[in-house]
Amino acid sequence: MKLDPVDRTILVALQEDGSLTNAELAERIHMSPSACLRRTKMLQESGLIAKTVALLDPRLAGLPGTAYVFVTLDSQGRASLDKFEAAVRTVPEITECYLLAGQSDYLLRIVYRDTTDLERIHTEILTPLPGVVRVQSTLTLRAVKRTTKLPI
Amino acid sequence: MKLDPVDRTILVALQEDGSLTNAELAERIHMSPSACLRRTKMLQESGLIAKTVALLDPRLAGLPGTAYVFVTLDSQGRASLDKFEAAVRTVPEITECYLLAGQSDYLLRIVYRDTTDLERIHTEILTPLPGVVRVQSTLTLRAVKRTTKLPI
DNA sequence: TTTGAAAACCAACCGAA
DNA sequence: TTCGGTTGGTTTTCAAA
């Protein structure tokens, strides 16, 4: 899939505001609505535009806290990893999970309401995850930047 | 702002698919389109629904890599932090930046095309950021989970 | 909740490069 | 042949009844 400059303009605009109507988007990029729609649908059907979602304000949602947590497992066999990962996927407070290079450690991103909530997540959710032997949290004081935009 | 179960249902649905038409959303939550629209608009005007955006597939966008980078500054004065943060906000490859507790360190999330690109970002972008004395990268091998959904 | 006018969508078709 | 523009029937929106 190759993108021309017009495609990139569309992607930049829709990453910024996915609620733009086709007519608005077409006007912004100086193109007729039908041509614009054709390109946008192509970008969606190709999967490059994976989905469009509503983003909530974390503060107003009562979830102002973000923590990154390094987790070490007791075993790095395929079965252990699969079991851990399956469990991770069911926990809504874990918004991201990455397998790290090296000693089969994972990095988790956690969202939480307050320190009491973080403590609960730590003891009642993270520590009991299958195979976990160590949990090391990195608290964030303040989000300086947070974007879902990819630099196309 | 207090949310009743119907509001939560709307938020769950729109975090999953922000391109739902009001008619579709109304049917899904077994409500009349007008009542559904009223609630959705309220959630938008309150700011709880902050925006709706298109999410791109990182692989198809040619940006499959994610790295987390810890950065240490040489000075933790207000001016130094402000200068660093202003620079961070202009770098599209930095998708997230958090101020950490402790020694005025920052945690950055970086997206990149390949290891060559990561090297470029490291030497040409991160190291020259104002006030930086140390840059420590944590590479991710694989994304196990990644969601924008907040657990309301 | 219903309704109806305005807006947007989108598939089919046309023309130019 | 491909890409943008135009048309018109259908769907959606959204505020008033």
Side-chain angles (χ1 to χ4, degrees):
Chain A
M1 148 114 7
K2 52 185 160 194
L3 302 175
D4 69 17
V6 177
D7 294 323
R8 282 174 220 278
T9 307
I10 290 173
L11 292 174
V12 167
L14 291 182
Q15 283 190 100
E16 178 64 36
D17 184 357
S19 71
L20 286 174
T21 66
N22 182 61
E24 289 166 336
L25 180 59
E27 175 168 297
R28 179 179 303 205
I29 68 177
H30 309 108
M31 186 174 262
S32 75
S34 62
C36 180
L37 182 64
R38 217 166 10 233
R39 282 176 180 265
T40 303
K41 295 204 101 173
M42 187 80 89
L43 293 168
Q44 282 163 345
E45 278 154 22
S46 75
L48 211 176
I49 296 179
K51 59 196 311 197
T52 114
V53 300
L55 299 181
L56 307 191
D57 182 301
R59 277 215 168 66
L60 295 180
L63 288 158
T66 300
Y68 282 91
V69 177
F70 290 91
V71 165
T72 307
L73 299 194
D74 59 5
S75 156
Q76 52 267 44
R78 171 89 280 159
S80 299
L81 304 189
D82 286 349
K83 206 172 166 196
F84 174 80
E85 293 176 14
V88 159
R89 280 187 268 266
T90 70
V91 178
E93 288 91 344
I94 301 175
T95 60
E96 296 177 42
C97 173
Y98 299 95
L99 177 62
L100 301 183
Q103 324 83 314
S104 288
D105 283 331
Y106 287 93
L107 177 61
L108 312 181
R109 179 175 182 267
I110 307 290
V111 297
Y112 60 93
R113 302 191 175 278
D114 50 39
T115 50
T116 303
D117 190 35
L118 180 59
E119 165 113 7
R120 171 189 68 84
I121 293 168
H122 187 94
T123 62
E124 294 179 18
I125 295 180
L126 301 183
T127 303
L129 285 172
V132 167
V133 296
R134 183 154 168 271
V135 175
Q136 182 194 0
S137 294
T138 298
L139 292 213
T140 69
L141 285 184
R142 174 164 58 84
V144 173
K145 179 179 188 177
R146 179 181 300 172
T147 180
T148 56
K149 282 184 252 186
L150 293 184
I152 314 294
Chain B
M1 146 113 11
K2 52 187 159 195
L3 302 175
D4 69 18
V6 175
D7 294 322
R8 282 173 218 281
T9 307
I10 290 172
L11 293 174
V12 167
L14 291 182
Q15 283 190 99
E16 179 64 34
D17 183 355
S19 70
L20 287 174
T21 67
N22 183 62
E24 290 166 335
L25 180 59
E27 173 168 302
R28 179 180 303 203
I29 67 177
H30 309 107
M31 185 176 265
S32 77
S34 61
C36 181
L37 182 64
R38 209 163 25 234
R39 282 180 181 260
T40 303
K41 294 205 100 173
M42 186 80 89
L43 292 168
Q44 279 163 348
E45 279 154 20
S46 74
L48 211 176
I49 295 179
K51 60 195 312 197
T52 114
V53 301
L55 299 182
L56 307 192
D57 182 300
R59 277 215 167 67
L60 295 181
L63 289 159
T66 299
Y68 281 90
V69 178
F70 289 91
V71 165
T72 308
L73 300 194
D74 60 3
S75 156
Q76 52 267 44
R78 170 91 277 161
S80 299
L81 305 189
D82 286 349
K83 206 172 164 195
F84 174 79
E85 294 176 12
V88 160
R89 280 187 268 265
T90 70
V91 178
E93 289 90 346
I94 302 175
T95 59
E96 298 178 40
C97 171
Y98 299 95
L99 177 63
L100 301 182
Q103 323 83 314
S104 287
D105 283 330
Y106 287 93
L107 176 60
L108 311 181
R109 178 175 182 266
I110 307 291
V111 297
Y112 60 93
R113 301 190 176 280
D114 49 41
T115 50
T116 303
D117 190 36
L118 180 60
E119 165 111 8
R120 172 189 68 84
I121 293 168
H122 188 94
T123 63
E124 293 179 18
I125 294 180
L126 301 183
T127 304
L129 285 172
V132 168
V133 295
R134 182 153 169 273
V135 174
Q136 182 194 359
S137 294
T138 299
L139 291 214
T140 69
L141 287 184
R142 174 164 59 83
V144 173
K145 178 180 187 176
R146 178 182 296 173
T147 180
T148 57
K149 282 184 253 184
L150 293 184
I152 314 292

